[in-house]
Amino acid sequence: MTIILLSILFISSLLYFKKPKHNRDWRPEQSKLPIATIDGDEIFIKNIRNCSYKSENDVELDYYDKKFSLKKIKSIDLIIQPFKKMSFMSHIFLSFGFEGGEYISVSVEARRKNKKSFSIFGGFFRMFEIIYIIADEKDIMRLRPLHHKDNVYIYPLKIKKSKIKNIFLDILKRVNRIEGKSEFYNTLTNSCVTNILDHMKENGVVGIPSSWRFYIPSKIDKLLYKTKLLKTKLPFNSFKENHRINDRAEKYKDDADYSAKIRS
């Protein structure tokens, strides 16, 4: 018993003194951190990811920089990707729509070292730093349905434009804080779910109850449906199936109007 307690204390002390870093040998698609310059309603984002994928691990890196006007932001979608191997778990992220048909996605992820896989349990023990990926939809909305081979659902959220703008700004400020000082990812306290829901709640999105079920990602879409935050009048199961994009993602993967087509 004493040996077990000493082992736990030793491991805990190692974890306590471990520090997050930006300068590791990262997976290529997580190698660059985004950064934003905010000047009133004008936003300039560096390192928007726009990679091409032959497979999940065969990546052609590409990034671009772009200016956005917050006056042109018009929509927000929640994307849910349930994991096939762990159906109770999902990855969630947001996509922001602008006038003219432009979309930018924001995905909060465990930043992994090169050739390393994600582990839910490793996320409890400081095995990963956290990264906010800002990506073109032709990158992230093709990677996840076509190469991860999981179902992907795009859910339009019923949120006022003023609050969408504030959520986007809040995210960009957090992006800059992480670029300035690295943090550890944590499966329970600093994950895609906790960060996305916090950005929404802190910017006045009502209807998100303090429920443990919100921290089981596979339950989030049904809970949002019950709180009327999803744009629909359909029964939940019909709504969910209509918003699964996998077939459309395959059909329109090379289409110039990809974002519009996967939402058609």
Side-chain angles (χ1 to χ4, degrees):
M1 187 68 176
T2 303
I3 294 173
I4 294 172
L5 287 173
L6 287 172
S7 298
I8 292 171
L9 286 172
F10 177 70
I11 293 169
S12 298
S13 66
L14 288 178
L15 292 174
Y16 178 80
F17 288 108
K18 187 178 181 181
K19 302 298 180 185
K21 297 179 181 179
H22 283 323
N23 58 338
R24 302 189 193 276
D25 180 22
W26 303 113
R27 287 179 64 95
E29 71 274 19
Q30 294 183 324
S31 58
K32 286 191 177 185
L33 291 168
I35 188 166
T37 301
I38 304 168
D39 183 12
D41 283 329
E42 301 304 311
I43 305 294
F44 181 70
I45 302 176
K46 291 186 67 176
N47 296 332
I48 299 171
R49 201 180 73 187
N50 190 29
C51 298
S52 300
Y53 304 86
K54 292 181 181 178
S55 70
E56 186 176 353
N57 296 308
D58 188 353
V59 185
E60 184 178 332
L61 293 180
D62 188 26
Y63 293 83
Y64 64 84
D65 307 335
K66 191 164 185 175
K67 288 183 179 180
F68 296 89
S69 173
L70 291 175
K71 293 178 181 177
K72 295 185 177 181
I73 201 165
K74 68 172 190 175
S75 66
I76 182 171
D77 297 328
L78 179 74
I79 296 87
I80 299 184
Q81 175 194 356
F83 300 143
K84 280 184 180 177
K85 294 180 180 179
M86 294 175 286
S87 59
F88 65 97
M89 294 298 293
S90 302
H91 180 60
I92 71 169
F93 60 100
L94 297 173
S95 229
F96 294 87
F98 292 79
E99 293 174 14
E102 290 183 298
Y103 287 88
I104 287 291
S105 295
V106 180
S107 177
V108 184
E109 301 178 7
R111 198 177 191 190
R112 293 164 288 159
K113 294 178 185 177
N114 201 9
K115 299 181 181 179
K116 295 292 183 181
S117 299
F118 174 68
S119 160
I120 287 175
F121 299 105
F124 289 106
F125 300 106
R126 298 191 170 193
M127 284 185 62
F128 311 106
E129 276 77 2
I130 198 166
I131 184 172
Y132 272 57
I133 297 287
I134 299 182
D136 194 291
E137 283 201 337
K138 287 183 179 178
D139 171 322
I140 199 165
M141 291 291 198
R142 290 195 290 199
L143 168 65
R144 293 185 174 275
L146 300 182
H147 299 294
H148 287 190
K149 303 298 184 182
D150 292 323
N151 285 326
V152 175
Y153 302 86
I154 299 180
Y155 296 124
L157 298 179
K158 197 187 300 180
I159 298 175
K160 291 180 179 179
K161 287 183 182 180
S162 59
K163 291 180 180 178
I164 297 172
K165 171 183 171 180
N166 289 339
I167 293 168
F168 191 58
L169 275 173
D170 197 42
I171 285 172
L172 295 181
K173 290 174 183 176
R174 179 118 166 83
V175 162
N176 287 347
R177 288 198 299 273
I178 290 173
E179 195 276 338
K181 184 180 179 181
S182 59
E183 299 177 14
F184 282 117
Y185 175 94
N186 186 284
T187 302
L188 278 183
T189 62
N190 200 16
S191 66
C192 63
V193 176
T194 60
N195 281 283
I196 293 300
L197 294 181
D198 283 349
H199 287 304
M200 292 170 66
K201 287 192 287 187
E202 288 172 9
N203 288 281
V205 178
V206 297
I208 299 180
S210 297
S211 168
W212 62 268
R213 291 176 298 172
F214 263 87
Y215 296 91
I216 301 177
S218 61
K219 300 283 187 182
I220 286 176
D221 51 0
K222 196 159 192 177
L223 289 168
L224 291 175
Y225 179 84
K226 288 180 178 178
T227 56
K228 302 187 184 304
L229 277 170
L230 301 181
K231 286 184 180 178
T232 185
K233 293 182 180 178
L234 293 172
F236 175 73
N237 289 336
S238 300
F239 172 74
K240 181 170 183 174
E241 184 55 33
N242 284 352
H243 287 78
R244 187 175 69 90
I245 68 165
N246 295 64
D247 293 341
R248 295 190 293 274
E250 177 63 40
K251 182 176 180 179
Y252 299 115
K253 61 186 177 183
D254 298 318
D255 200 285
D257 202 14
Y258 180 75
S259 290
K261 291 292 179 64
I262 59 174
R263 288 171 170 81
S264 61

mmCIF file of all heavy atoms in Angstrom, residues 192-207:
data_model
loop_
_atom_site.group_PDB
_atom_site.id
_atom_site.type_symbol
_atom_site.label_atom_id
_atom_site.label_comp_id
_atom_site.label_asym_id
_atom_site.label_seq_id
_atom_site.Cartn_x
_atom_site.Cartn_y
_atom_site.Cartn_z
ATOM 1 N N CYS A 192 -12.386 20.792 -26.065
ATOM 2 C CA CYS A 192 -13.246 21.415 -27.084
ATOM 3 C C CYS A 192 -14.608 21.765 -26.494
ATOM 4 O O CYS A 192 -15.142 22.862 -26.712
ATOM 5 C CB CYS A 192 -13.392 20.508 -28.303
ATOM 6 S SG CYS A 192 -14.200 18.913 -27.994
ATOM 7 N N VAL A 193 -15.169 20.861 -25.697
ATOM 8 C CA VAL A 193 -16.507 21.067 -25.144
ATOM 9 C C VAL A 193 -16.514 22.225 -24.150
ATOM 10 O O VAL A 193 -17.333 23.147 -24.248
ATOM 11 C CB VAL A 193 -17.022 19.780 -24.463
ATOM 12 C CG1 VAL A 193 -18.373 20.029 -23.814
ATOM 13 C CG2 VAL A 193 -17.123 18.658 -25.479
ATOM 14 N N THR A 194 -15.603 22.183 -23.170
ATOM 15 C CA THR A 194 -15.620 23.214 -22.133
ATOM 16 C C THR A 194 -15.364 24.596 -22.725
ATOM 17 O O THR A 194 -16.015 25.569 -22.339
ATOM 18 C CB THR A 194 -14.570 22.921 -21.038
ATOM 19 O OG1 THR A 194 -13.268 22.884 -21.612
ATOM 20 C CG2 THR A 194 -14.870 21.593 -20.360
ATOM 21 N N ASN A 195 -14.432 24.696 -23.656
ATOM 22 C CA ASN A 195 -14.108 26.005 -24.224
ATOM 23 C C ASN A 195 -15.229 26.547 -25.100
ATOM 24 O O ASN A 195 -15.599 27.719 -24.991
ATOM 25 C CB ASN A 195 -12.798 25.935 -25.004
ATOM 26 C CG ASN A 195 -11.583 25.980 -24.102
ATOM 27 O OD1 ASN A 195 -11.199 27.029 -23.610
ATOM 28 N ND2 ASN A 195 -10.972 24.827 -23.864
ATOM 29 N N ILE A 196 -15.776 25.715 -25.968
ATOM 30 C CA ILE A 196 -16.850 26.179 -26.862
ATOM 31 C C ILE A 196 -18.070 26.620 -26.047
ATOM 32 O O ILE A 196 -18.644 27.692 -26.276
ATOM 33 C CB ILE A 196 -17.243 25.083 -27.870
ATOM 34 C CG1 ILE A 196 -16.099 24.804 -28.852
ATOM 35 C CG2 ILE A 196 -18.524 25.470 -28.617
ATOM 36 C CD1 ILE A 196 -15.648 25.973 -29.684
ATOM 37 N N LEU A 197 -18.481 25.807 -25.081
ATOM 38 C CA LEU A 197 -19.643 26.162 -24.265
ATOM 39 C C LEU A 197 -19.374 27.403 -23.426
ATOM 40 O O LEU A 197 -20.256 28.246 -23.245
ATOM 41 C CB LEU A 197 -20.063 24.993 -23.391
ATOM 42 C CG LEU A 197 -20.591 23.757 -24.130
ATOM 43 C CD1 LEU A 197 -20.999 22.682 -23.136
ATOM 44 C CD2 LEU A 197 -21.759 24.104 -25.038
ATOM 45 N N ASP A 198 -18.150 27.548 -22.923
ATOM 46 C CA ASP A 198 -17.810 28.745 -22.151
ATOM 47 C C ASP A 198 -17.875 30.005 -23.014
ATOM 48 O O ASP A 198 -18.387 31.040 -22.574
ATOM 49 C CB ASP A 198 -16.405 28.611 -21.540
ATOM 50 C CG ASP A 198 -16.393 27.706 -20.312
ATOM 51 O OD1 ASP A 198 -17.485 27.356 -19.826
ATOM 52 O OD2 ASP A 198 -15.288 27.348 -19.864
ATOM 53 N N HIS A 199 -17.358 29.926 -24.240
ATOM 54 C CA HIS A 199 -17.436 31.090 -25.133
ATOM 55 C C HIS A 199 -18.892 31.496 -25.374
ATOM 56 O O HIS A 199 -19.214 32.687 -25.426
ATOM 57 C CB HIS A 199 -16.771 30.783 -26.481
ATOM 58 C CG HIS A 199 -15.279 30.738 -26.428
ATOM 59 N ND1 HIS A 199 -14.510 31.787 -25.970
ATOM 60 C CD2 HIS A 199 -14.395 29.768 -26.801
ATOM 61 C CE1 HIS A 199 -13.225 31.462 -26.053
ATOM 62 N NE2 HIS A 199 -13.135 30.244 -26.543
ATOM 63 N N MET A 200 -19.767 30.509 -25.487
ATOM 64 C CA MET A 200 -21.175 30.803 -25.739
ATOM 65 C C MET A 200 -21.858 31.361 -24.493
ATOM 66 O O MET A 200 -22.553 32.383 -24.554
ATOM 67 C CB MET A 200 -21.879 29.539 -26.242
ATOM 68 C CG MET A 200 -21.400 29.113 -27.633
ATOM 69 S SD MET A 200 -21.998 27.469 -28.117
ATOM 70 C CE MET A 200 -23.749 27.763 -28.232
ATOM 71 N N LYS A 201 -21.646 30.701 -23.357
ATOM 72 C CA LYS A 201 -22.309 31.143 -22.119
ATOM 73 C C LYS A 201 -21.828 32.515 -21.671
ATOM 74 O O LYS A 201 -22.613 33.346 -21.218
ATOM 75 C CB LYS A 201 -22.078 30.107 -21.014
ATOM 76 C CG LYS A 201 -22.878 28.823 -21.209
ATOM 77 C CD LYS A 201 -22.868 27.947 -19.978
ATOM 78 C CE LYS A 201 -21.543 27.279 -19.773
ATOM 79 N NZ LYS A 201 -21.587 26.296 -18.654
ATOM 80 N N GLU A 202 -20.527 32.768 -21.813
ATOM 81 C CA GLU A 202 -19.972 34.041 -21.360
ATOM 82 C C GLU A 202 -20.409 35.216 -22.232
ATOM 83 O O GLU A 202 -20.225 36.373 -21.852
ATOM 84 C CB GLU A 202 -18.444 33.949 -21.320
ATOM 85 C CG GLU A 202 -17.932 33.070 -20.172
ATOM 86 C CD GLU A 202 -16.448 32.813 -20.247
ATOM 87 O OE1 GLU A 202 -15.776 33.459 -21.099
ATOM 88 O OE2 GLU A 202 -15.953 31.970 -19.471
ATOM 89 N N ASN A 203 -20.980 34.919 -23.387
ATOM 90 C CA ASN A 203 -21.420 35.985 -24.278
ATOM 91 C C ASN A 203 -22.928 35.994 -24.462
ATOM 92 O O ASN A 203 -23.448 36.340 -25.524
ATOM 93 C CB ASN A 203 -20.684 35.874 -25.613
ATOM 94 C CG ASN A 203 -19.232 36.270 -25.479
ATOM 95 O OD1 ASN A 203 -18.900 37.450 -25.449
ATOM 96 N ND2 ASN A 203 -18.349 35.285 -25.369
ATOM 97 N N GLY A 204 -23.617 35.570 -23.408
ATOM 98 C CA GLY A 204 -25.051 35.797 -23.321
ATOM 99 C C GLY A 204 -25.938 34.812 -24.036
ATOM 100 O O GLY A 204 -27.121 35.102 -24.248
ATOM 101 N N VAL A 205 -25.405 33.638 -24.415
ATOM 102 C CA VAL A 205 -26.266 32.633 -25.055
ATOM 103 C C VAL A 205 -27.049 31.921 -23.961
ATOM 104 O O VAL A 205 -26.490 31.162 -23.162
ATOM 105 C CB VAL A 205 -25.447 31.629 -25.881
ATOM 106 C CG1 VAL A 205 -26.373 30.574 -26.495
ATOM 107 C CG2 VAL A 205 -24.678 32.353 -26.977
ATOM 108 N N VAL A 206 -28.336 32.176 -23.908
ATOM 109 C CA VAL A 206 -29.181 31.569 -22.879
ATOM 110 C C VAL A 206 -29.652 30.199 -23.352
ATOM 111 O O VAL A 206 -29.617 29.882 -24.533
ATOM 112 C CB VAL A 206 -30.397 32.463 -22.559
ATOM 113 C CG1 VAL A 206 -29.943 33.780 -21.983
ATOM 114 C CG2 VAL A 206 -31.254 32.692 -23.805
ATOM 115 N N GLY A 207 -30.085 29.403 -22.409
ATOM 116 C CA GLY A 207 -30.605 28.089 -22.771
ATOM 117 C C GLY A 207 -29.582 26.987 -22.639
ATOM 118 O O GLY A 207 -29.872 25.842 -22.956
#
